[in-house]
Amino acid sequence: MALQIENLSKSFGSVKALCDLTLTIPEASFTCFLGPSGCGKTTFLRVIAGLETAEEGTIRLAGKDMSKTPPSDRNFGMVFQSYSLFPNMTALENVLFGLECRHWPKGDRKKRALEMLDIVQLADQAEKLPAQMSGGQQQRVAVARALAPRPSVLLLDEPLSALDANVRSELRTEFRNIQKELAITTIMVTHDQSEALEMSDQIVVLNCGRIEQSGSPVEIYAHPRNRFVAGFIGSFNVLEVSRDGSGEIRFGSQQLTANAQADAAIDSGVVGLRPEAIKVSSEPLGLENALFGTVTKVRYLGNLQILSVQPECAPDQVLDVELHGASVLSRPSERVCLNFASTALHELSR
Ligand SMILES: Nc1ncnc2c1ncn2[C@@H]1O[C@H](COP(=O)(O)OP(=O)(O)OP(=O)(O)O)[C@@H](O)[C@H]1O
Ligand SMILES: [Mg+2]
């Protein structure tokens, strides 16, 4: 079911944790709340679940106002970062408990619990205690427990962050597949941008209790609205630019060619340029922009090298460039040409 959040605000004493948030979570979609520590992600999720009360604002589920509905009557499933399973109960008993809490008919519980363990690929682990399972398996049980009573919305608070990289990557795919299969409206909190980009239909970028931007992963990555979003989703070079007397854009001593949209927004004084949008060569390649510079640092990451380059036209600024699959290692002090199209420059508000 779709969720509509309007003008939601929440404070803890003098701390304004959420400021006037308005957002639509479409039915059957996967939305990530993404942002740095302390920006209000958990608070937002807990207010939606009814575990915290907002001072202002409404939350509507399929059009019905839920703001005054107690958490037990909201029929939302929740999974937390720490494994919240009961240690003295087996996987099956934990899932059964979820059904009991929601007053699921007694005779149907076991069939449903086994069905859910099967969906999370743990049918053969039903009799194990949490201590006998890996972290990834425990989080699968927690998801099975949350999903078993057929909640209207699934709320996940950093469910993967305590797991090691391989398990995390496996579970990203698995959770997303389950969410699609069951077509359940899902909100997941994360501070991992790659997790949000990989899993979401919609990403909501939060900062200091406010929504900086919401949109699809492609919208957020390709068109970050401001400097915060640009820096938080992937890396971004921020170029300090100015306009000369004839209205041309200048980056230090050199003129730049931007597309019309970025050009119109240049008066903010900054433009963004993704490291992967820059092509490195020894001579200009014929793109609209070409800057010469000196490599000051090389970070070697196997399939990727990240070069820091000091442009000759603006020596007080440094541009990062990503080289994918290059077989020759670049060296500090090498002189290189950085080439990029006018469309690679993005408007950024400060
Ligand atoms: N129960 C509480 N009492 C007082 N202040 C709180 C409480 N819960 C959260 N806060 C404050 O509200 C703000 C938002 O906290 P929240 O836990 O929502 O952040 P978060 O984005 O989930 O961070 P993290 O990524 O570290 O989990 C923080 O300033 C936090 O200190
Ligand atoms: Mg949190």
Side-chain angles (χ1 to χ4, degrees):
M1 288 184 196
L3 263 180
Q4 247 146 357
I5 294 148
E6 275 166 29
N7 307 108
L8 203 73
S9 293
K10 165 84 189 158
S11 300
F12 295 106
S14 61
V15 177
K16 215 150 183 4
L18 305 176
C19 309
D20 198 22
L21 305 182
T22 294
L23 179 70
T24 299
I25 314 270
E27 178 166 5
S29 68
F30 196 110
T31 293
C32 274
F33 291 168
L34 178 68
S37 184
C39 72
K41 305 181 295 294
T42 295
T43 306
F44 197 5
L45 205 69
R46 287 175 60 82
V47 170
I48 292 171
L51 300 170
E52 301 280 1
T53 316
E55 286 99 45
E56 279 173 56
T58 53
I59 299 170
R60 273 185 250 279
L61 180 66
K64 186 172 164 271
D65 189 354
M66 305 282 286
S67 313
K68 304 276 181 297
T69 310
S72 52
D73 296 340
R74 291 195 186 194
N75 190 26
F76 288 180
M78 263 200 102
V79 177
F80 301 93
Q81 172 181 1
S82 53
Y83 317 128
S84 47
L85 301 180
F86 295 105
N88 55 337
M89 290 186 187
T90 63
L92 177 62
E93 286 165 348
N94 265 285
V95 182
L96 284 170
F97 182 78
L99 291 165
E100 195 184 320
C101 289
R102 291 288 157 88
H103 313 294
W104 194 273
K106 234 177 180 166
D108 300 343
R109 285 181 201 163
K110 188 158 184 195
K111 180 169 172 283
R112 176 70 179 162
L114 289 171
E115 201 177 287
M116 291 316 298
L117 285 175
D118 192 36
I119 286 180
V120 297
Q121 300 181 31
L122 288 178
D124 55 344
Q125 311 279 319
E127 298 309 326
K128 278 197 177 170
L129 290 169
Q132 297 167 321
M133 286 186 279
S134 69
Q137 288 172 330
Q138 290 183 52
Q139 281 307 61
R140 287 195 181 115
V141 176
V143 166
R145 185 175 65 183
L147 286 173
R150 294 206 174 92
S152 322
V153 178
L154 179 64
L155 305 173
L156 308 163
D157 192 355
E158 308 221 27
L160 307 177
S161 63
L163 305 169
D164 71 48
N166 285 343
V167 180
R168 209 158 63 212
S169 150
E170 229 172 73
L171 285 194
R172 280 180 189 178
T173 312
E174 203 178 309
F175 283 7
R176 180 63 165 141
N177 289 344
I178 293 171
Q179 181 271 331
K180 278 189 182 158
E181 197 179 310
L182 303 180
I184 180 163
T185 310
T186 301
I187 304 175
M188 185 173 91
V189 162
T190 179
H191 57 249
D192 182 331
Q193 44 126 336
S194 60
E195 203 162 280
L197 287 169
E198 181 178 337
M199 295 179 80
S200 313
D201 295 307
Q202 173 175 241
I203 297 178
V204 180
V205 183
L206 292 166
N207 184 27
C208 300
R210 295 179 190 278
I211 296 175
E212 294 278 355
Q213 190 173 358
S214 64
S216 70
V218 172
E219 278 162 2
I220 298 268
Y221 187 84
H223 305 289
R225 184 180 290 160
N226 56 32
R227 236 169 141 152
F228 177 83
V229 178
F232 203 79
I233 311 266
S235 49
F236 227 109
N237 291 301
V238 176
L239 283 61
E240 304 278 343
V241 294
S242 58
R243 254 187 223 287
D244 62 17
S246 54
E248 303 294 349
I249 305 161
R250 300 207 77 85
F251 176 48
S253 60
Q254 189 162 333
Q255 189 179 318
L256 290 186
T257 307
N259 66 356
Q261 202 189 20
D263 189 291
I266 289 301
D267 295 329
S268 66
V270 286
V271 281
L273 178 61
R274 291 271 182 213
E276 72 270 21
I278 302 174
K279 291 190 170 53
V280 179
S281 59
S282 50
E283 294 299 327
L285 295 173
L287 295 178
E288 287 119 316
N289 295 292
L291 317 173
F292 278 97
T294 307
V295 176
T296 55
K297 194 162 90 182
V298 179
R299 277 167 284 170
Y300 180 67
L301 303 171
N303 63 335
L304 177 71
Q305 291 178 50
I306 303 173
L307 313 185
S308 297
V309 177
Q310 183 179 33
E312 289 167 8
C313 60
D316 55 334
Q317 302 192 43
V318 173
L319 300 182
D320 278 348
V321 184
E322 289 179 2
L323 282 183
H324 289 266
S327 53
V328 181
L329 196 62
S330 298
R331 287 184 315 276
S333 78
E334 194 178 333
R335 187 170 189 253
V336 289
C337 181
L338 307 182
N339 306 267
F340 49 94
S342 61
T343 48
L345 290 169
H346 295 270
E347 59 163 310
L348 282 183
S349 62
R350 281 184 189 266

